[in-house]
Amino acid sequence: MQGYILHVSKYRDEDVIVTILTPDALLSLYRFYGARHSTVNLGYKIDFEIENIVNVTISRLRNIIHLGTPWIGHAPTVMIWHHFIRLLNTHLRGIETVDPFYFNLLERLSRSLERQNPKRACIDAYLEMLAFEGRLHKEPYCFICDEPVEENLALGRAFLPAHTHCIYGRKLPFNETLAMLENQKSLMLDETTVNNLWDVLMEGM
Ligand SMILES: [Zn+2]
């Protein structure tokens, strides 16, 4: 079975509980001495087996193989990937059965990180997620005051459009930002805007 490690929490001295996103489930598995294993790391894609033990509530994680990516040695990219993974873990917390969309999203994002600005790649992935979840608001109406936004466009959490003064947000380029929401691509946005949107994303999914 394959999955992405969304969270690793210590249990007792060196054992860990690992949260893994597979194509159709979010699993919590127990790993003895997991803190010592180089294969158990946040954001890693792994191949693994599950061992079910009679009368033990949490199954065990076994035979782990790390499935590496070309960017794994590039620290800035790994750091951004970690941020995205933590946000996704919080977003999916408490869910057991998940749509394959989320696993496939990480597959695509991981490939994009090989060739794209990592923040831009994460923003595009997030836009895809908002669209999939039916949460993408494309119309320029402020979610705080309900009035149309004509110039001073900012985006709040979940990339909701707003007036800059209503959310004390940074002013974004109007046409380019609306085009981004329409096409779910940040292609037209400059690096400064991408950095601003990254800060909004860091507030939570
Ligand atoms: Zn407003």
Side-chain angles (χ1 to χ4, degrees):
M1 192 181 296
Q2 295 190 351
Y4 285 91
I5 298 180
L6 294 197
H7 190 67
V8 181
S9 58
K10 276 207 173 183
Y11 191 81
R12 297 198 184 123
D13 288 341
E14 291 186 283
D15 300 347
V16 290
I17 293 172
V18 189
T19 307
I20 303 172
L21 176 70
T22 72
D24 35 41
L26 193 61
L27 305 170
S28 280
L29 299 171
Y30 197 90
R31 176 70 194 181
F32 283 110
Y33 298 113
R36 283 191 209 166
H37 285 262
S38 61
T39 49
V40 180
N41 268 317
L42 182 70
Y44 273 16
K45 185 183 180 187
I46 55 168
D47 192 279
F48 63 99
E49 287 172 13
I50 299 174
E51 183 186 15
N52 294 305
I53 297 161
V54 180
N55 293 331
V56 174
T57 45
I58 185 160
S59 303
R60 288 180 190 168
L61 175 60
R62 295 187 66 230
N63 294 336
I64 311 160
I65 299 166
H66 174 214
L67 304 168
T69 56
W71 48 264
I72 203 74
H74 189 249
T77 303
V78 171
M79 200 173 73
I80 286 164
W81 172 253
H82 281 177
H83 280 304
F84 192 89
I85 291 287
R86 285 196 194 96
L87 289 169
L88 185 63
N89 181 55
T90 304
H91 183 65
L92 297 178
R93 187 176 291 162
I95 299 172
E96 285 175 11
T97 311
V98 294
D99 193 284
F101 170 83
Y102 297 95
F103 178 87
N104 293 331
L105 187 75
L106 290 186
E107 294 271 88
R108 285 196 296 280
L109 175 56
S110 177
R111 281 195 296 273
S112 303
L113 292 177
E114 289 171 28
R115 53 181 195 276
Q116 246 193 323
N117 169 328
K119 289 183 181 175
R120 191 184 287 279
C122 287
I123 286 164
D124 286 350
Y126 181 52
L127 287 162
E128 243 187 277
M129 192 178 109
L130 288 173
F132 173 77
E133 294 177 349
R135 296 196 288 140
L136 189 63
H137 289 248
K138 302 173 184 178
E139 303 299 324
Y141 285 89
C142 176
F143 77 98
I144 297 288
C145 70
D146 267 344
E147 296 294 323
V149 183
E150 275 155 357
E151 198 184 313
N152 293 316
L153 174 67
L155 294 183
R157 194 169 164 171
F159 288 177
L160 289 173
H163 296 107
T164 47
H165 55 268
C166 282
I167 59 166
Y168 305 105
R170 293 196 193 109
K171 184 176 174 177
L172 301 170
F174 188 81
N175 291 326
E176 289 84 349
T177 303
L178 288 184
M180 174 197 80
L181 295 173
E182 187 59 42
N183 307 317
Q184 290 122 59
K185 291 264 179 276
S186 62
L187 201 66
M188 290 165 76
L189 301 178
D190 59 25
E191 295 299 299
T192 307
T193 308
V194 166
N195 287 332
N196 290 343
L197 289 175
W198 174 253
D199 292 341
V200 174
L201 175 55
M202 284 299 95
E203 293 172 23
M205 285 179 165

